């Protein structure tokens, strides 16, 4: 039986040393037994806002117990009509109907049957009064400045806790400090009053939070007379002196009061808070100090509040008892008080009586021990009566011990042990049941159990027996007791099978036997597969701000799948199902995702799988990586003219090893504040010797690098300045820029500020004709360019540039060869011939210009050409010269993108860096006919069930004399697959239309029309249409649209429509509503809608749609027909058609694709035609 709350002192609690095998708590209710109280109320407070107050008492027993009550140790009648008793327990209710105060008192419940009586502890029912301040007239208080004052609160009695506040009439708190203090009783103390303490609204408020009540005392008036106005004839200096001499005084204690003397005693209960207060009047305001005589104040549990006037010690222990001293002092003296603190304790159990079941003839001992201060008194009862009045009671060997010998059934009773001192009383019941009964197995017969492989299986066989019984287990099909270390039998009859295997499955029997007989039950065990779990990835390393995904893969027995539940935790704390409230962490069953990972996300993540039979957990450690912290504490040492050693301390690497350090410097005089990289060192180094340049004021910083990235830069180091020196290098990239003949503008890359090595940087430039045995001409400049005039055009010169500063010159420079300025070529090439490759491409050959006539470096040749007229109509073409250049010393070039069947003129000229020279004599050539462009349009103007009439427009570019048209068509089925292609050759170029007959009804066709010249046929224009089915009428678009009367009718309809729209617009502007359009939108005309779905009149070119089995690229041009503006593949920057010497590589002719509409004879069917 469980331990009940208790008290202590060096007295005892009852403990039953069982000599039998069962306890009272094990007795089934089917066996006769004494009553046992199972539930009772504690202290009950009648709050005025509750509807009723319930005092509880419940008990069990066999026979069923009867309940009686006492109130203040007198019988209490449950038949009182003002209470509502319960039918099945001793509980009763007191309705809150105005007579509650009558029931205030201390109650005790008794549960009795023929075997014994159990009694409850005292239950106090408190009916608090509504606290009120008495109505009283408070006389105004008038004092002089500097006097002590006490304003009494005297709060009314009420239900604790009590909170007191001093405020003014506007509910503003009266400020407290070293001079003003509110005591624990609520009185307001002034050590010395000041003029600003005067007010007529000092109010004391008492708050009772459990009663939800605050009451206010009548306002008090305090008037402080100022000494400044006591005698107006005296000066303020004299007055202040008098005030100081009269009012200043040594401290005198107001708390504790004078009548308490210099010593007082305080009793505090163990575990409570000790509270001592000390307040003194005086001027200047005294200060209070606390000490413990013969020891130190309890460290960690003591506090000084209210400017040191209150000493608190929390959780008082007996060691906290003793003498405490407070001392109030000012400049004039001191006052002290001693507190003798006594720590006492209410009773509590050290041993409680324990109920037990005995068999006839057995023996036992009851022990009862309790502690407290003062030491508790122990009293025994039997069935709620003093033990002395019961003739069958056991022998009382001592106040805390009762013994039993040769117990018989009539010894069955309830023993009570009561321990009490001045601070309270505690009570414990102990049931003594003397029973002889055959074993009663409380576990149901045929129970089914399940366990997983490797776990422990528990088969229950809970029983009650008196006298003691033996238990044995066996497998049903083996009929012998279980043996082996894997089988463990517990005292309550339960069988535990350790490390269950599949062979342990089956039926088991539990046999329980004592002197009164034996009983058995069976149990069935099913062994299932254990649940497995695996988290991936293992030990992931995730950079900060990245996303992390964890997957929990689980497998369990098929019988356990319905009960499988997954849960996630981090560092042992469960994660919220579904994820975090901010959505950064999401949990979707087996998946955990963390977006924007932070360092706080690092830790051990666990996934647990729980089933009805087992649970398993797998863990993974997540490491959050981040860029390192910046290096710290940069130091410079080993300072030299051209080097210095830099040392630093590494920062936190944030879980990722530092791979390298980047050392940067700042010292550019032209760009102060600009940092540049100086060197990189390995991650294991924290020191480096830095090479330096002269004439620089250096400052360094270091960045750490790991696998995540770079840290922020460290704080800069101290400055280090190097002395100046002569330049270490000369300018690079010496070149010439010539704008005029016989001129040479020499340029070079200037030295950077870090390369100048000192002040006064200049450049010494020297030049002479290449290979000439003569002195160098030279000139020193500050800029990085020099203009030199030369006697010859495009003559070679040796040039060198050397850096010089105030400390000397740089190393000896190496000369470079530069050429003086160029002039235009003065000779033209001779055109040798023009070879026509096809209608759009020619090959031009020419003789080169002599080298001495180029007057510079030959860059190449350029061809100028222009169209003069078209050979198709003979019309002259305005001169539009186009240019194509060919780099290098070549003698031929290809001209692409020409117009077919046209006459052209061309010239050739040489060019150098200065520009192009004179042009050759114009050469005239003709281009042959080419294929025409596609027709301008293609329309199906009429369809019947077996025919279709087509019309098309002339090509925009004929490229020759038209010889006719090629008309082709093929069917399209419902899956967009194309049928065989049929050709119709039309030899009349002036006829832009055709009627096809013998077509299939209600069939979709695709039509192609190409224009043709003697060079072939061009690209097709396409259209699709569907022939009519049975009962449909032919379209008349061609016949009607070309009639004059139809055109006139359409114009009249357009004019009428415009007029109606104008009227509608005017009406709307005048405020009217014209809702025809809205009504039409809501109720569209079915005929109009169906007209939109008719077969012809809305054809579209579907060349862009992919058709199954269709011809590839029916509209694709051959390469030769691409835009004439695309010259890059023929002139400079040749990418494919020409080799470096300008020779043509690819065949310049259109190719036909297999199966396309360009192929002829794709169908052998013959169709009747008519023009």
């Amino acid at each position: 039986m469980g331990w009940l709350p208790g008290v202590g002192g060096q007295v005892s609690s009852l403990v039953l040393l069982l000599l039998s095998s069962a306890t009272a708590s094990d007795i089934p209710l089917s066996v006769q037994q004494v009553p046992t109280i199972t539930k009772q109320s504690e202290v009950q407070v009648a709050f005025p806002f509750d509807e009723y107050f319930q005092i509880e008492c419940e008990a069990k027993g066999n026979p069923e117990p009867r309940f009686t009550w006492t109130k203040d140790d007198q019988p209490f009648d449950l038949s009182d009509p003002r209470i509502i008793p319960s039918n099945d327990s001793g509980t009763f209710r007191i309705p809150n109907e105005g007579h509650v105060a009558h029931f205030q008192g201390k109650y005790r419940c008794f549960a009795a049957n023929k075997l014994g009586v159990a009694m409850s502890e005292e239950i106090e029912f408190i009916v608090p009064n509504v606290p009120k301040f008495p109505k009283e007239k408070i006389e105004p208080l008038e004092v002089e400045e500097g006097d002590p004052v006490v304003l009494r609160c005297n709060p009314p009695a009420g239900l604790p806790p009590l909170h007191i506040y001093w405020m003014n009439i506007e509910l503003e708190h009266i400020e407290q400090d070293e001079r003003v203090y509110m005591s624990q009783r609520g009185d307001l103390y002034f050590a010395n009053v000041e003029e600003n303490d005067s007010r007529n609204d000092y109010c004391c408020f008492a708050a009772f939070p459990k009663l939800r009540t605050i009451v206010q005392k009548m306002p008090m008036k305090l008037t402080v007379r100022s000494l400044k106005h006591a005698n107006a004839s005296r000066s303020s200096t004299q007055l202040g002196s008098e005030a100081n001499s009269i009012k200043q005084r040594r401290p005198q204690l107001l708390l504790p009061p004078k009548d308490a003397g210099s010593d007082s005693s305080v009793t505090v209960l163990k575990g409570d808070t000790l509270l001592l207060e000390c307040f003194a009047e005086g001027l200047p305001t005294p200060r209070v100090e606390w000490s413990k005589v013969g020891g130190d104040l309890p460290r960690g549990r003591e506090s000084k509040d209210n400017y040191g006037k209150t000493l608190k010690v929390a959780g008082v222990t007996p060691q906290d008892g003793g003498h405490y001293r407070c001392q109030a002092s000012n400049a004039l003296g001191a006052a002290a008080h001693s507190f003798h603190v006594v720590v006492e304790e209410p009773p509590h159990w050290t041993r409680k009586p324990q109920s037990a079941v005995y068999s006839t003839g057995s023996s036992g001992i009851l022990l009862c021990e309790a502690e407290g201060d003062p030491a508790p008194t122990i009293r025994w009862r039997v069935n709620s009566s003093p033990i002395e009045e019961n003739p069958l009671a056991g022998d009382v060997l001592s106040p805390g011990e009762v013994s039993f010998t040769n117990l018989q059934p009539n010894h069955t009773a309830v023993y009570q042990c009561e321990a009490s001192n001045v601070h309270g009383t505690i009570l414990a019941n102990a049931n003594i049941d003397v029973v002889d009964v055959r074993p009663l197995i409380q576990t149901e017969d045929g129970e089914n159990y399940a366990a997983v492989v490797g776990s422990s299986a528990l088969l229950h066989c809970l029983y009650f027996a008196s006298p003691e019984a033996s238990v044995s287990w066996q497998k049903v099909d083996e009929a012998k007791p279980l043996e082996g270390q894997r089988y463990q039998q517990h005292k309550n009859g339960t069988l535990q099978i350790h490390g269950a295997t599949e062979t342990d499955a089956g039926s088991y029997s539990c046999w329980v036997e004592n002197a009164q007989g034996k009983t058995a039950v069976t149990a069935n065990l099913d062994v299932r597969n254990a649940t497995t779990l695996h988290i991936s990835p293992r030990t992931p390393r995730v950079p900060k701000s990245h996303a992390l995904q964890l997957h929990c893969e689980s497998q369990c027995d098929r019988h356990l799948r319905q009960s499988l539940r997954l849960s996630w935790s981090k560092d042992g704390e469960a994660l919220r199902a579904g994820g975090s409230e901010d959505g950064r962490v999401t949990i979707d069953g087996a998946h955990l995702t963390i977006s924007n990972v932070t360092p706080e996300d690092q830790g051990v993540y666990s996934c647990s799988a729980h089933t009805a039979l087992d649970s398993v957990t797998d863990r993974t450690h997540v490491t959050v990586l981040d860029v390192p912290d910046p290096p710290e504490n940069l130091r410079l040492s080993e300072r030299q003219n051209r080097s210095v050693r830099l040392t630093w301390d590494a920062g936190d690497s944030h879980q990722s090893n530092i791979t390298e350090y980047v050392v940067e410097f700042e010292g550019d005089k032209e760009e102060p504040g600009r940092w540049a990289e100086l060197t990189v060192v390995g991650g294991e180094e924290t020191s480096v010797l830095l090479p330096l340049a002269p004439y620089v004021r250096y400052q360094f910083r270091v960045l750490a690098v790991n696998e995540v990235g770079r840290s922020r830069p460290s704080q800069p180091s101290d400055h280090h300045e190097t002395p100046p020196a002569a330049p270490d290098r000369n300018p690079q990239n010496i070149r010439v820029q010539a704008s005029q003949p016989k001129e040479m503008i020499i340029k070079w890359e200037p030295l950077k500020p870090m390369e100048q090595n000192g002040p006064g940087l200049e450049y010494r430039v020297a030049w002479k004709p290449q290979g000439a045995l003569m002195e160098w001409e030279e000139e020193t400049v500050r800029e990085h360019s020099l203009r030199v005039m030369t006697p010859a055009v495009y003559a070679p010169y040796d040039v060198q540039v050397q850096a010089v500063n105030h400390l000397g010159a740089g190393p000896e420079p190496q000369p470079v060869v530069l050429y003086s300025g160029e002039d235009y070529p003065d000779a033209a090439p001779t055109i040798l011939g023009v070879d026509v490759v096809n209608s759009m491409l020619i090959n031009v050959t020419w003789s080169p210009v002599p080298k001495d006539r180029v007057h510079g470096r030959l860059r190449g040749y350029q061809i100028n050409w222009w169209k003069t007229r078209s050979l198709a109509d003979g019309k002259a073409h305005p001169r539009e010269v186009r240019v194509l250049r060919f780099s290098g010393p070549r003698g031929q070039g290809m001209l692409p993108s020409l117009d077919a069947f046209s006459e052209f003129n061309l010239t050739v000229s040489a060019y150098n860096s200065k520009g192009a020279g004179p042009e050759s004599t114009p050469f005239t050539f003709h281009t042959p006919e080419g294929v025409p462009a596609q027709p301008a349009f293609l329309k199906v103007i009429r369809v019947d069930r077996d025919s279709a009439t087509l019309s098309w427009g002339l090509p925009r570019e004929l490229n020759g004399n038209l010889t006719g048209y090629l008309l082709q068509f093929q069917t399209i089925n419902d899956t967009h697959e194309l049928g065989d292609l049929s050709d119709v050759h039309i030899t009349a170029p002036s006829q832009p239309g055709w009627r096809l007959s013998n077509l299939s009804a209600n069939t979709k066709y695709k039509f192609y029309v190409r224009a043709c010249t003697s060079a072939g046929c061009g690209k097709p224009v396409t259209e699709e249409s569907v022939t009519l089915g049975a009962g449909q009428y032919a379209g008349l678009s061609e016949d009607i649209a070309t009639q004059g009367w139809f055109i006139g009718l359409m114009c009249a309809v357009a004019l009428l429509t415009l007029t109606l729209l104008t009227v509608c617009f005017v009406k709307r502007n005048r405020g009217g509503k014209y809702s025809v359009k809205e009504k039409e939108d809501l109720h569209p005309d079915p005929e109009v809608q169906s007209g939109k779905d008719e077969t012809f009149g809305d054809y579209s070119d579907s060349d862009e749609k992919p058709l199954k089995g269709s011809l590839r690229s029916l509209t694709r041009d051959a390469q030769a027909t691409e835009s004439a503006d695309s010259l890059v593949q023929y002139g400079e920057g040749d990418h494919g058609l020409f080799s470096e010497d300008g020779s043509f590589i690819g065949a310049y002719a259109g190719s036909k694709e297999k199966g396309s509409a360009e192929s002829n004879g794709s169908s052998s069917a013959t169709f009747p035609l008519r023009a």
Side-chain angles (χ1 to χ4, degrees), residues 167-394:
M167 295 186 283
N168 60 22
I169 202 66
E170 295 179 354
L171 300 182
E172 295 173 339
H173 286 272
I174 302 299
E175 185 176 355
Q176 299 182 38
D177 50 26
E178 292 184 345
R179 189 178 58 85
V180 182
Y181 168 70
M182 184 186 75
S183 70
Q184 299 303 312
R185 295 183 56 185
D187 298 334
L188 190 64
Y189 287 80
F190 294 82
N192 49 79
V193 292
E194 297 176 351
E195 186 178 1
N196 56 11
D197 291 327
S198 294
R199 61 186 320 125
N200 58 4
D201 58 352
Y202 282 95
C203 299
C204 178
F205 291 84
F208 302 87
K210 286 190 175 180
L211 297 177
R212 306 179 189 176
T213 301
I214 299 177
V215 292
Q216 175 189 346
K217 189 181 181 73
M218 294 295 292
M220 306 179 199
K221 182 177 181 181
L222 173 63
T223 302
V224 180
R225 296 192 307 272
S226 174
L227 294 179
K228 297 177 182 178
H229 308 293
N231 191 337
S233 63
R234 302 179 184 179
S235 67
S236 59
T237 304
Q238 293 173 327
L239 184 62
S241 174
E242 180 181 351
N244 289 335
S245 62
I246 295 177
K247 294 297 180 181
Q248 286 191 355
R249 60 195 180 278
R250 62 178 304 185
Q252 292 189 18
L253 289 175
L254 300 179
L255 280 175
K258 292 181 180 179
D259 55 9
S262 60
D263 296 283
S264 60
S265 180
V266 176
T267 299
V268 61
L269 294 182
K270 178 183 176 181
D272 288 354
T273 298
L274 171 65
L275 194 149
L276 304 176
E277 57 181 347
C278 207
F279 181 80
E281 61 94 359
L283 186 68
T285 302
R287 295 179 61 86
V288 177
E289 294 182 350
W290 291 89
S291 62
K292 185 178 182 183
V293 179
D296 297 328
L297 295 175
R299 292 183 179 179
R301 294 184 291 114
E302 56 85 22
S303 63
K304 302 179 184 68
D305 299 335
N306 301 317
Y307 298 92
K309 299 176 182 64
T310 304
L311 174 66
K312 287 184 179 179
V313 179
V316 170
T317 66
Q319 292 72 27
D320 295 327
H323 288 81
Y324 291 78
R325 186 171 186 271
C326 79
Q327 177 173 294
S329 59
N330 64 10
L332 302 180
H337 185 88
S338 293
F339 299 88
H340 177 57
V341 175
V342 178
V343 180
E344 296 186 349
E345 184 179 9
H348 68 272
W349 295 117
T350 57
R351 278 187 172 180
K352 283 182 66 174
Q354 192 170 18
S355 300
V357 177
Y358 296 86
S359 59
T360 301
S362 59
S363 302
I365 299 176
L366 285 175
L367 297 177
C368 180
E369 295 179 0
E371 289 182 349
D373 192 359
T377 300
I378 299 295
R379 286 188 293 271
W380 289 94
R381 297 174 183 267
V382 179
N383 294 331
S384 77
S385 300
I387 193 170
E388 298 83 5
E389 300 176 4
N390 192 313
L392 298 178

Side-chain angles (χ1 to χ4, degrees), residues 1056-1113:
L1056 179 59
T1057 302
L1058 181 61
T1059 303
L1060 289 175
L1061 290 174
T1062 304
V1063 172
C1064 292
F1065 180 79
V1066 172
K1067 186 173 182 180
R1068 280 188 180 273
N1069 285 346
R1070 291 180 178 178
K1073 295 183 178 179
Y1074 194 74
S1075 58
V1076 173
K1077 180 65 173 69
E1078 289 84 344
K1079 291 180 179 179
E1080 288 178 351
D1081 291 341
L1082 291 172
H1083 307 287
D1085 188 345
E1087 294 184 4
V1088 174
Q1089 292 294 317
S1090 62
K1092 294 181 181 178
D1093 299 330
E1094 296 229 355
T1095 306
F1096 48 90
D1098 187 19
Y1099 301 105
S1100 64
D1101 189 350
S1102 60
D1103 282 355
E1104 299 297 326
K1105 302 176 183 176
L1107 301 173
K1108 296 181 181 178
S1110 65
L1111 309 170
R1112 263 186 48 207
S1113 187

